[in-house]
Amino acid sequence: MRDGTKVTKEGIDQETGAITTPIYQTSSYAYPIGEKYRYSREVNPTVLKLAEMIADLEEAEMGVAFSSGMGAISSTLLTLVKPGSKVLIHRDMFGRTYRFFNDFLKSWGVKVDAANPGKIIEAAASDKYDIVFVENISNPILRVVDVVTLSKVCRENNSLLIVDSTFATPINQKPIVQGADIVLHSASKFIAGHNDVIAGLAAGKKDYMTKIDLIRRTLGTSLDPHAAYLVIRGMKTLKIRMDVINSNSLKIAEFLTEHPKVRTVYYPGLKTHPDYEIARKVLKGFGGVVSFDVKGTMEDSIRLMNKFNVILAAQTLGGVNSTISHPATMSHRTLSPEERKLVGITDTMLRLSVGIEDVDDLIEDLDKALSSI
């Protein structure tokens, strides 16, 4: 591709010649012909194809597929940490991920430090960590991590860098190419892209991924073959969807910036964003999520979600249809009010996941709903 984006290659099924990957809906495989697979919790041909495709797309040595994004995160971390390990994260991340580190891993004797928004590089340079875990575009305040610089710091300190790239996707950034060791995705979001499947993906260096894959088999965080098929199908249109989503999102962010009922807009493609220059450096596109604060009360924000005709109120993102959610009571409800305040999640913040609908229809929908409160 002229823009450097790698084409998603599925290939043909070597057993049958099928031009789309078959769904191998079986629990077991006959011996000796099926000895390579044995049991679908361990290996399934449909799931294995998806793992190969994410490795190819991320330009990594090996990929692994999981039953969910949190399955990818938990299996990866449980492979790599042990009691006494030191891990660095940042506070502005998906609430369930934050809870996994601070509640679960800490109870196992893992030391977890959390950097404030925008301070992860300074924190990584200030101490020796076994693992540094970041979201390259944070959820939901959309701070952008300079993965290129952070990877250099991690190499100097012998730290393993893991990047959750769900918001960026391989279309907008390839963390492995920029120096990360492992990249993770909630494939339920932009990669699958249709709000109809739950899945997780990881890719990275083969020595790490082989160990992670063995833990996946043991923990049972294995992906169903039909779900894998849906992710493969979605992945084939990822580039064209993200091109539209990137374009729509920037136009909507610019519109919201000028709207009298909006206090603050969070989007890395805006020059007013604190990480705008970093985003231009490390991202090819600014992504499909726009967060904004409504002028009014929390009740006004919640009520606004039910005033749209095109945009759907739902706790998800990354689909072809636009969705909107209230982080304080939805995706980040597990954080305390004090934790949300420290991160910068206000009671009036809404998180808009922009889809592929006509952008003028989306802007009209937003304008009508905002003007009604």
Side-chain angles (χ1 to χ4, degrees):
M1 301 293 289
R2 290 183 179 178
D3 63 359
T5 301
K6 199 173 179 66
V7 176
T8 304
K9 295 188 295 184
E10 182 181 12
I12 63 170
D13 180 60
Q14 294 301 312
E15 294 295 323
T16 66
I19 63 171
T20 59
T21 302
I23 303 171
Y24 288 92
Q25 196 71 48
T26 183
S27 64
S28 304
Y29 307 84
Y31 181 86
I33 189 173
E35 179 65 10
K36 175 182 177 181
Y37 302 105
R38 295 191 183 187
Y39 192 64
S40 274
R41 174 176 48 78
E42 296 196 4
V43 188
N44 176 280
T46 313
V47 179
L48 186 60
K49 171 56 68 174
L50 173 60
E52 292 169 353
M53 288 174 68
I54 191 59
D56 185 59
L57 195 57
E58 288 284 10
E59 300 183 46
E61 293 178 3
M62 179 178 172
V64 182
F66 302 86
S67 54
S68 70
M70 284 307 304
I73 291 170
S74 59
S75 298
T76 297
L77 269 297
L78 291 174
T79 303
L80 299 172
V81 301
K82 60 183 182 295
S85 295
K86 289 183 64 175
V87 179
L88 176 65
I89 61 174
H90 49 91
R91 298 184 189 279
D92 50 318
M93 58 170 44
F94 174 50
R96 190 65 63 184
T97 306
Y98 189 77
R99 291 270 71 90
F100 173 74
F101 279 99
N102 277 281
D103 297 344
F104 188 79
L105 288 186
K106 276 186 176 180
S107 72
W108 276 37
V110 176
K111 179 176 174 54
V112 179
D113 289 344
N116 287 332
K119 301 297 182 182
I120 190 72
I121 292 176
E122 293 87 340
S126 68
D127 204 346
K128 298 289 185 180
Y129 290 97
D130 297 295
I131 293 174
V132 177
F133 182 103
V134 300
E135 294 176 351
N136 50 8
I137 303 175
S138 71
N139 182 3
I141 64 171
L142 309 180
R143 295 300 300 264
V144 180
V145 174
D146 185 343
V147 173
V148 174
T149 300
L150 179 58
S151 66
K152 293 177 181 177
V153 171
C154 288
R155 281 197 299 273
E156 291 170 0
N157 288 344
N158 200 30
S159 302
L160 190 71
L161 177 58
I162 303 174
V163 177
D164 183 333
S165 190
T166 298
F167 276 30
T169 80
I171 304 305
N172 289 332
Q173 187 183 45
K174 296 181 187 291
I176 299 295
V177 175
Q178 294 187 2
D181 297 291
I182 297 171
V183 59
L184 304 172
H185 294 277
S186 172
S188 321
K189 309 305 191 297
F190 293 102
I191 288 180
H194 291 77
N195 293 327
D196 57 4
V197 64
I198 302 295
L201 296 169
K205 297 177 181 177
K206 189 172 184 178
D207 54 346
Y208 295 130
M209 302 313 301
T210 299
K211 295 175 183 177
I212 292 167
D213 189 44
L214 289 174
I215 290 296
R216 172 197 61 80
R217 301 178 189 206
T218 302
L219 293 178
T221 52
S222 305
L223 186 61
D224 176 81
H226 184 255
Y229 170 83
L230 292 174
V231 178
I232 290 170
R233 185 180 65 172
M235 192 181 288
K236 287 183 274 190
T237 62
L238 179 60
K239 174 64 167 64
I240 191 168
R241 285 187 286 107
M242 288 310 301
D243 285 348
V244 175
I245 287 170
N246 286 336
S247 175
N248 282 357
S249 298
L250 181 57
K251 292 174 183 176
I252 286 170
E254 291 170 343
F255 161 76
L256 289 172
T257 300
E258 302 298 325
H259 201 283
K261 294 293 184 70
V262 174
R263 180 180 296 109
T264 309
V265 180
Y266 308 82
Y267 188 67
L270 296 175
K271 292 181 179 179
T272 54
H273 191 280
D275 302 323
Y276 174 69
E277 292 300 330
I278 293 174
R280 290 185 62 197
K281 171 186 173 183
V282 301
L283 300 176
K284 290 183 180 179
F286 300 114
V289 179
V290 181
S291 297
F292 61 98
D293 288 327
V294 175
K295 289 182 180 178
T297 65
M298 181 171 72
E299 289 71 25
D300 291 328
S301 297
I302 294 173
R303 191 166 60 250
L304 178 67
M305 289 193 296
N306 295 314
K307 291 182 175 291
F308 297 106
N309 291 317
V310 179
I311 300 167
L312 304 174
Q315 187 179 312
T316 190
L317 58 94
V320 290
N321 49 324
S322 298
T323 57
I324 197 162
S325 64
H326 184 250
T329 60
M330 297 174 78
S331 60
H332 290 71
R333 67 189 182 280
T334 60
L335 302 187
S336 69
E338 293 75 22
E339 287 173 324
R340 291 197 298 270
K341 183 177 180 181
L342 192 58
V343 169
I345 300 173
T346 68
D347 288 342
T348 59
M349 177 183 284
L350 293 174
R351 187 190 69 186
L352 173 65
S353 173
V354 180
I356 64 170
E357 302 96 338
D358 183 271
V359 70
D360 292 332
D361 289 345
L362 292 173
I363 289 174
E364 180 181 2
D365 202 30
L366 283 161
D367 189 30
K368 286 182 178 179
L370 283 165
S371 299
S372 70
I373 62 172

